[in-house]
């Protein structure tokens, strides 16, 4: 009788640990891990009634179409979760966020278009992630950045047309990557991927099948075949001019900066202006072909040829002017710190107004001076000298006639 009672007591103690939904079969492995085998059961959702100490959950080859925040609430200790070959099209944010012990996650062969990538931030122990054979159209640059233990990443057979530079950074354990059979647009936006694959020690399975579908000249060729000369990082030079000699357009001073850029594809020119009272960003020309200026930024005249003019330059306009050259390969910028002095000794005037300016290399402005774009980021100071007799007349608004005179004096052609 006593042995029978002991067995019954043991069964009572183990009963909750072996709780198992009726479609599944559950067992304890030699290593003590509890397996819940629910594959090939024609399930349409994650079954309820799983034991809280399940560490291996197999739900492959069912008809599950949706995963919600509570789908795996009963198995917080799960380490391996197999969900391949289902019909999953929707994954709610938070579905995997609390599965902190997860090491293996298989979501392959489903219908996932959008995935809550933020759920991966807490899964630092994840080692295998299979997302292949889905319908993913994009990945955020930092999707995998917290996965320090990730060894194998499967992204092949999706709808990815591009990948952001740095997508596979911060993955020190990565040894296997599959990205083949994606319709990559091999513009210069994925040029970084070519360079990365050439230098990485990661095994890229079927690397020859990582083919381009666009542009036309690259169709059917491997990503690694993108010609180097098609993709050249930007270079930028900044020159500056004062009012032209013997040219009186209106009272006050005009600051003129010209940004020259090169690269492939041709870089866009953007400006950033930081003064003591405001920040301005101008992403392209704001002076139209007919000479009209966008009202929101009428004080800073930006032309298509890379020239920016600031009529009636005053103390309020002092600050750092940065020209940025941007293309698909990268960004380059060069800056100048512009100050205005109103006496016959502008250097002393500047130092009196700003004691730190002298450490930046204060100098007077000369027409056509060029800033060295290869510098280490030090901001060169241009000291503009405005004669005392002009100070009282500065500050008037620029009329359309005056703008036309400015364009003629600077030789700017709007139609180019």
């Amino acid at each position: 009788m006593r042995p029978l009672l002991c067995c019954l007591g043991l069964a009572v103690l183990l009963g909750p640990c072996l709780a198992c939904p009726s479609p599944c079969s559950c067992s304890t492995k030699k290593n003590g891990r509890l397996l819940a085998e629910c594959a090939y059961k024609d399930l349409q959702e994650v079954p309820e009634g799983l034991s809280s100490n399940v560490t291996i959950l197999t739900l492959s080859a069912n008809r599950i179409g949706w995963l919600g925040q509570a789908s795996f609430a009963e198995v917080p200790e799960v380490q391996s979760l197999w969900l391949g070959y289902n019909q999953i099209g929707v994954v709610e944010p938070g579905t995997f966020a609390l599965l902190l012990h997860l090491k293996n996650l298989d979501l392959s062969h489903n219908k996932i278009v959008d995935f809550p990538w933020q759920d991966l931030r807490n899964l630092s122990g994840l080692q295998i992630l299979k997302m292949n054979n889905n319908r993913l159209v994009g990945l955020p640059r930092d999707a995998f950045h917290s996965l320090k233990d990730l060894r194998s990443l499967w992204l092949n057979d999706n709808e990815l047309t591009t990948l952001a530079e740095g997508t596979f950074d911060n993955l020190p354990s990565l040894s296997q990557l599959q990205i083949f059979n994606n319709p990559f647009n091999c513009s210069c936006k994925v040029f970084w991927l070519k360079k990365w694959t050439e230098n990485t020690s990661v095994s890229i399975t079927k690397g020859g099948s990582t083919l381009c579908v666009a542009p036309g000249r690259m169709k059917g060729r491997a990503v690694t075949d993108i010609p180097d000369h098609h993709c050249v990082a930007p270079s930028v030079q900044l020159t500056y001019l004062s009012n032209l000699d013997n040219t009186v357009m209106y009272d006050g001073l005009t600051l003129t900066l010209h940004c020259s850029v090169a690269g492939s594809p041709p870089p866009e020119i953007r400006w950033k202006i930081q003064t003591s009272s405001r920040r301005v960003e101008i992403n392209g020309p704001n002076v139209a072909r007919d000479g009209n200026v966008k009202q929101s930024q009428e004080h800073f005249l930006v032309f298509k040829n890379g020239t920016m003019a600031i009529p009636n330059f005053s103390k309020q306009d002092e600050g750092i002017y940065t020209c940025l050259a941007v293309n698909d390969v990268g960004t380059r910028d060069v800056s100048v710190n512009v100050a205005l002095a109103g006496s016959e000794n502008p250097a002393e005037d500047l130092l009196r107004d700003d004691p730190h300016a002298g450490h930046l290399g204060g100098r007077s402005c000369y027409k056509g001076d060029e800033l060295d774009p290869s510098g280490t980021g030090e901001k060169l100071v241009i000291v503009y000298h405005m004669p005392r007799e002009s100070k009282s007349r500065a500050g008037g608004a620029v009329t359309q006639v005056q703008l036309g005179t400015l364009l003629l004096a600077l030789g700017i052609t709007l139609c180019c």
Side-chain angles (χ1 to χ4, degrees):
M1 181 66 69
R2 182 173 297 177
L4 178 60
L5 291 175
C6 292
C7 292
L8 290 174
L10 185 60
V12 170
L13 290 174
L14 293 178
C17 297
L18 296 176
C20 195
S22 57
C24 307
S25 60
C26 301
S27 61
T28 303
K29 295 294 185 179
K30 291 181 180 179
N31 56 11
R33 294 180 179 178
L34 183 60
L35 167 65
E37 177 61 69
C38 308
Y40 296 95
K41 301 298 182 182
D42 205 32
L43 298 173
Q44 297 186 35
E45 58 184 14
V46 178
E48 297 181 355
L50 291 163
S51 296
S52 61
N53 57 348
V54 165
T55 56
I56 304 171
L57 177 56
T58 302
L59 289 162
S60 304
N62 282 292
R63 294 194 295 127
I64 300 172
W66 170 87
L67 297 175
Q69 292 185 11
S71 292
F72 305 107
E74 293 182 334
V75 289
E77 297 182 15
V78 68
Q79 297 179 15
S80 296
L81 184 53
W82 310 110
L83 290 157
Y85 292 92
N86 275 280
Q87 300 176 19
I88 300 169
V90 176
V91 183
E92 285 188 354
T95 297
F96 303 105
L98 299 180
L99 304 182
L100 305 184
H101 304 283
L102 203 59
K103 294 182 178 179
N104 305 302
L105 176 59
D106 180 10
L107 286 162
S108 63
H109 295 272
N110 279 287
K111 300 178 181 180
I112 300 171
V113 177
D114 297 312
F115 183 79
W117 301 105
Q118 65 273 19
D119 278 18
L120 302 181
R121 293 174 184 170
N122 295 330
L123 309 186
S124 57
L126 197 64
Q127 297 178 8
I128 298 175
L129 176 59
K130 293 185 176 183
M131 300 287 292
N132 54 294
N133 294 87
N134 275 283
R135 300 174 183 175
L136 298 173
V137 295
L139 297 172
R141 182 180 181 275
D142 60 350
F144 312 117
H145 276 199
S146 62
L147 306 182
K148 305 300 182 183
D149 292 338
L150 190 67
R151 294 186 286 105
S152 183
L153 176 59
W154 299 36
L155 295 169
N156 55 285
D157 293 277
N158 276 286
E159 300 297 326
L160 301 172
T161 59
T162 189
L163 291 170
E165 184 172 1
T167 297
F168 307 122
D169 290 351
N170 301 315
L171 296 176
S173 303
L174 189 65
S175 60
Q176 181 189 31
L177 173 66
Q178 297 194 8
I179 55 174
F180 58 89
N181 290 347
N182 279 287
F184 283 113
N185 182 339
C186 293
S187 69
C188 292
K189 289 183 178 179
V190 297
F191 184 68
W192 72 270
L193 184 59
K194 169 188 175 175
K195 295 299 183 182
W196 184 82
T197 56
E198 291 173 348
N199 297 300
T200 186
S201 60
V202 176
S203 173
I204 303 176
T205 309
K206 293 187 179 180
S209 298
T210 308
L211 303 180
C212 311
V213 298
R217 67 178 183 274
M218 289 295 298
K219 187 174 182 180
R221 298 176 63 181
V223 171
T224 51
D225 289 340
I226 300 175
D228 288 359
H229 68 272
H230 284 178
C231 303
V232 180
S235 62
V236 58
Q237 289 184 331
L238 186 60
T239 54
Y240 53 96
L241 303 169
S242 62
N243 279 353
L244 299 183
D245 296 338
N246 301 320
T247 300
V248 179
M249 292 169 285
Y250 38 76
D251 292 340
L253 176 83
T254 297
L255 170 66
T256 306
L257 301 172
H258 181 72
C259 190
S260 301
V261 300
S264 181
E268 297 178 1
I269 297 177
R270 303 175 186 175
W271 292 90
K272 289 186 178 181
I273 303 160
Q274 173 68 65
T275 70
S276 60
S277 59
R278 60 175 169 169
R279 293 184 178 182
V280 178
E281 294 189 12
I282 306 175
N283 296 323
N286 62 9
V287 179
R289 293 175 180 270
D290 58 6
N292 290 323
V293 183
K294 296 179 182 179
Q295 294 299 313
S296 61
Q297 297 168 343
E298 61 181 1
H299 187 59
F300 304 100
L301 308 178
V302 176
F303 303 92
K304 189 175 181 179
N305 71 343
T307 296
M308 178 170 65
I310 305 99
N312 293 307
F313 190 85
S314 67
K315 280 284 187 180
Q316 293 181 344
D317 300 318
E318 291 181 333
I320 298 175
Y321 289 72
T322 302
C323 173
L324 299 95
V326 182
N327 70 5
D328 291 340
V329 187
T331 301
R332 194 76 184 274
D333 66 81
V334 62
S335 300
V336 61
N337 193 339
V338 185
L340 183 67
S343 69
E344 294 181 358
N345 191 343
E348 290 183 3
D349 210 28
L350 175 66
L351 288 172
R352 183 172 61 252
D353 293 340
D354 184 0
H356 300 291
H359 300 295
L360 295 173
R363 54 188 278 188
S364 297
C365 171
Y366 294 94
K367 183 170 63 178
D369 282 345
E370 183 178 295
L371 305 183
D372 179 10
S374 62
T376 58
E378 182 180 13
K379 308 300 182 184
L380 175 67
V381 173
I382 310 173
V383 182
Y384 271 93
H385 172 219
M386 184 169 66
R388 293 184 184 278
E389 59 269 22
S390 299
K391 292 173 65 176
S392 61
R393 300 199 301 268
V398 183
T399 65
Q400 187 67 33
V401 175
Q402 290 170 331
L403 176 57
T405 305
L406 173 62
L407 299 179
L408 180 62
L410 296 178
I412 295 171
T413 306
L414 292 176
C415 62
C416 297

